[in-house]
Amino acid sequence: MFDPVQENPYPDTHTLGEGPEPHPLLTPVLGLVGRWHGRGQGQYPTLERDFRYEQEVVFSHDGRPFLRYEARAWLVDETGAPIRPAGREAGWWRVTPDAGLEVVLAHATGIVETYVGTVSGTEIEIGTKDVALTPLAKEVTGTRRRYSIDGDLLTVVHDMAAVGQPLQHHLTTRLRRRSS
């Protein structure tokens, strides 16, 4: 009989060495698994001024050949004090047998992106294949993200084509791995 209070028998883990063994196809991206936190800066030609933010990113797995991804950010002032919530997204990273990537991300603002990409050592690059928008979503026509892992430092550079602008730099974030 089903017990609705029973603990999930297949929990995600964001700590390597705990929980299920990672699927062998995840080997090229295992460096991403974990909780990350850091600060970033953003700009775009349609914005009045540049902005600063903090971000938390979690990559986890449940033993199958994909990573679960969640990210949330909040704007901060020049002293680092929080101003308000900012971007939030969630999705899945699937590694292909040739170490390619297929990524699906959904944003709270009504944008869904599919990406394809590659992994080369500690460098990962993904670019949009398709972008779908809800009726009230901001027009985004393409994005590209580059991830670089250096030990416990994850740098993410995000380029965007949106609201009539060509693909260009939008965000740079430097995140540190958190112990839990």
Side-chain angles (χ1 to χ4, degrees):
M1 181 194 280
F2 176 72
D3 178 0
V5 194
Q6 181 180 359
E7 189 172 317
N8 180 346
Y10 305 104
D12 283 358
T13 182
H14 60 272
T15 306
L16 293 176
E18 294 180 13
E21 284 293 315
H23 192 282
L25 283 177
L26 291 180
T27 300
V29 295
L30 283 179
L32 292 172
V33 173
R35 292 184 180 275
W36 303 84
H37 183 267
R39 291 200 171 159
Q41 293 187 359
Q43 62 269 332
Y44 207 67
T46 58
L47 300 175
E48 286 183 32
R49 61 179 166 256
D50 296 356
F51 58 93
R52 298 175 188 190
Y53 59 95
E54 285 193 34
Q55 187 172 38
E56 179 181 75
V57 173
V58 178
F59 284 94
S60 60
H61 74 90
D62 65 3
R64 292 181 286 170
F66 51 80
L67 297 178
R68 185 179 74 164
Y69 166 86
E70 293 181 74
R72 61 189 325 169
W74 51 98
L75 297 179
V76 297
D77 66 18
E78 59 280 344
T79 70
I83 297 172
R84 67 174 174 79
R88 190 151 187 192
E89 57 191 26
W92 304 97
W93 288 49
R94 184 167 59 180
V95 183
T96 64
D98 62 353
L101 289 173
E102 297 178 346
V103 178
V104 177
L105 297 182
H107 301 257
T109 55
I111 301 166
V112 177
E113 300 162 315
T114 62
Y115 290 85
V116 293
T118 58
V119 180
S120 178
T122 59
E123 304 291 321
I124 298 166
E125 183 168 335
I126 58 175
T128 48
K129 180 180 180 310
D130 295 297
V131 179
L133 307 170
T134 62
L136 297 179
K138 172 178 67 176
E139 178 210 17
V140 173
T141 55
T143 63
R144 177 179 55 219
R145 299 179 188 211
R146 292 176 303 281
Y147 297 78
S148 177
I149 305 168
D150 184 7
D152 286 339
L153 176 66
L154 174 62
T155 302
V156 183
V157 177
H158 184 174
D159 301 332
M160 179 173 70
V163 292
Q165 299 291 315
L167 187 68
Q168 60 193 287
H169 183 262
H170 178 43
L171 306 169
T172 299
T173 314
R174 287 180 179 75
L175 304 149
R176 292 259 175 223
R177 187 184 307 273
R178 290 203 148 163
S179 57
S180 64

